[in-house]
Amino acid sequence: MRPSSLDVLDLTLPTVADPELETLIETRVGQLVRQLSSTSSPSGGSRGELALRFFEKRRRKGGLGGWLTGTAKAEEEICWEVWKLKITLTSPRTETERIALLRAEAPALQRTAMTIVKIVNRDKDHIPPITTSEMNPFPYEILLNPRAEYDGKTIGFFA
């Protein structure tokens, strides 16, 4: 992986060039857009949510239960953080509406990016130590409209 940047609206964001991650993000966002497009309201907006869950790999503690039932695993994944991103899909009717919407959302994106930076720089104590030399030390998953059981850090872009 190598660092790079991505220009979105009037904001340049840091990113990592990882084709597998890019494909996963494009797939999940595409699924969400299709889902929201099928439920779009006449007033022009549908709301959904993406959740990004981070895991830590831990050695499973020994015990006979897993060995006897054949379900023993050397490692288990423990979720240590969940970020929920609230999304509103809008459908401007004209090019003028589209331009106005983009202009209005650029400052919101910038505020949200700065909020994310502040939170990740402030709240670090719960992050597990990196214990592997793998490219990505923390497994993750991206969920569409997750159930309430996945609580955690919440960042609202269009809350």
Side-chain angles (χ1 to χ4, degrees):
M1 282 192 239
R2 58 180 169 68
S4 61
S5 63
L6 174 68
D7 292 322
V8 180
L9 300 176
D10 291 332
L11 187 62
T12 301
L13 300 169
T15 185
V16 176
D18 179 352
E20 185 178 318
L21 178 58
E22 289 173 19
T23 300
L24 176 62
I25 291 170
E26 288 173 10
T27 299
R28 292 293 188 266
V29 168
Q31 290 170 338
L32 184 63
V33 167
R34 283 189 298 280
Q35 190 178 73
L36 295 179
S37 295
S38 68
T39 61
S40 187
S41 69
S43 61
S46 295
R47 293 178 185 256
E49 189 172 80
L50 289 174
L52 178 56
R53 297 177 67 205
F54 294 96
F55 298 90
E56 169 188 16
K57 288 183 181 179
R58 287 188 189 166
R59 281 214 178 283
R60 193 176 284 263
K61 294 186 178 173
L64 292 176
W67 292 107
L68 295 174
T69 61
T71 59
K73 288 185 180 178
E75 290 183 328
E76 62 182 335
E77 290 184 347
I78 307 296
C79 182
W80 55 271
E81 185 160 293
V82 179
W83 283 43
K84 294 180 180 178
L85 303 161
K86 295 179 181 186
I87 309 293
T88 300
L89 179 66
T90 58
S91 301
R93 290 179 276 260
T94 67
E95 183 64 14
T96 304
E97 282 183 13
R98 187 185 74 76
I99 291 169
L101 182 64
L102 289 175
R103 281 190 188 136
E105 294 308 326
L109 176 61
Q110 187 160 6
R111 281 191 307 275
T112 301
M114 293 311 297
T115 299
I116 290 170
V117 169
K118 287 177 190 173
I119 290 171
V120 298
N121 283 331
R122 181 189 68 210
D123 300 337
K124 301 180 205 176
D125 295 343
H126 67 287
I127 299 173
I130 295 175
T131 58
T132 178
S133 60
E134 293 177 27
M135 190 71 84
N136 181 8
F138 301 117
Y140 56 86
E141 68 180 350
I142 301 173
L143 303 171
L144 299 179
N145 295 315
R147 297 186 308 267
E149 67 192 54
Y150 302 120
D151 285 333
K153 302 281 184 203
T154 302
I155 299 295
F157 179 36
F158 295 106

